[in-house]
Amino acid sequence: EDALARVLRESPQLEEARAAAAKTSLLLRRAEVEKIPDVQVRGGVRYNRELLEGLNGLGRVGQVGVEGFFDVGVEIPLFNRNQGGVAAAKADSERARLEVERASLEIRKRLARAFQEYQDAASAADRYQTQMIPAAQEAYDLYLKNYRAMSGAYAQVLMAQRTLFQLQEEYVNQLVMAWQASVEINGFLY
């Protein structure tokens, strides 16, 4: 539970989703506010392709005139209150909120899988260490003692030794799996 709480608090994936949700909520607010029309102002200098005669007293025919312009406009939103923009922004905001939830659930799922692998490997390693290896060691010692006392076959000693080595190898494999899962769990934290 502590690891999960820390992962959910510090996960870069969740931080990215939370930032996207905050951004979309601001875009929603902007869409709601944009119902008020903007004043549009435009001005500048342009060429008028009109042929001029006698400008500046030079009397040349075919000169192009230069003119300045200045426009001011206001849209009056009688029927357009930006309903489409507001609806789209609400949908984006909801999608971003659900993305945060999806990312949280994905992290929980991955952490639960890693924790389950850790528990399985740790309990298997404990079983090998406390039950199976001691029993195999005892069997090997008995077969070896019987062989030395000339009352047992050497093949039984070899089979008991092979079984003991296989159990020890599997014990080490389970320890490796437990440590790998532990590292994976701790890797979620950073």
Side-chain angles (χ1 to χ4, degrees):
E1 290 298 320
D2 293 338
L4 177 62
R6 187 170 175 194
V7 167
L8 292 177
R9 194 174 52 246
E10 298 176 3
S11 170
Q13 183 181 6
L14 276 177
E15 285 300 318
E16 179 184 7
R18 287 181 189 127
K23 177 183 173 185
T24 57
S25 67
L26 291 174
L27 290 175
L28 172 62
R29 178 71 184 126
R30 178 180 171 190
E32 292 170 345
V33 171
E34 282 182 345
K35 295 176 189 176
I36 301 170
D38 290 332
V39 175
Q40 299 172 357
V41 179
R42 165 176 93 144
V45 178
R46 61 182 167 203
Y47 287 102
N48 183 350
R49 300 288 181 199
E50 177 182 344
L51 295 178
L52 300 177
E53 294 182 26
L55 187 63
N56 295 332
L58 297 176
R60 283 200 231 160
V61 177
Q63 281 184 324
V64 177
V66 177
E67 65 181 15
F69 70 94
F70 185 73
D71 294 333
V72 177
V74 176
E75 282 186 27
I76 301 175
L78 294 177
F79 300 107
N80 180 9
R81 290 181 303 236
N82 198 20
Q83 297 102 323
V86 170
K90 281 182 181 177
D92 284 344
S93 180
E94 182 66 14
R95 182 200 49 78
R97 185 189 66 77
L98 292 174
E99 177 61 25
V100 171
E101 190 175 327
R102 187 206 62 78
S104 172
L105 291 173
E106 177 66 26
I107 287 173
R108 285 175 187 266
K109 182 178 97 173
R110 288 183 8 222
L111 188 62
R113 181 194 47 79
F115 189 70
Q116 184 65 46
E117 287 176 5
Y118 170 76
Q119 279 186 323
D120 291 346
S123 67
D126 184 53
R127 253 189 337 272
Y128 277 106
Q129 183 182 24
T130 59
Q131 296 171 7
M132 298 168 81
I133 291 177
Q137 182 70 48
E138 185 179 341
Y140 170 69
D141 290 342
L142 286 174
Y143 282 125
L144 186 60
K145 183 179 173 185
N146 286 340
Y147 172 72
R148 287 184 180 154
M150 302 290 243
S151 61
Y154 189 65
Q156 290 176 330
V157 173
L158 291 178
M159 287 186 348
Q161 187 180 37
R162 184 184 69 191
T163 302
L164 176 64
F165 290 158
Q166 286 173 341
L167 289 173
Q168 288 173 338
E169 179 184 14
E170 193 56 36
Y171 168 68
V172 170
N173 289 339
Q174 292 298 322
L175 284 177
V176 167
M177 288 173 59
W179 278 108
Q180 285 175 339
S182 174
V183 167
E184 186 177 355
I185 290 169
N186 288 327
F188 279 121
L189 301 179
Y190 301 106

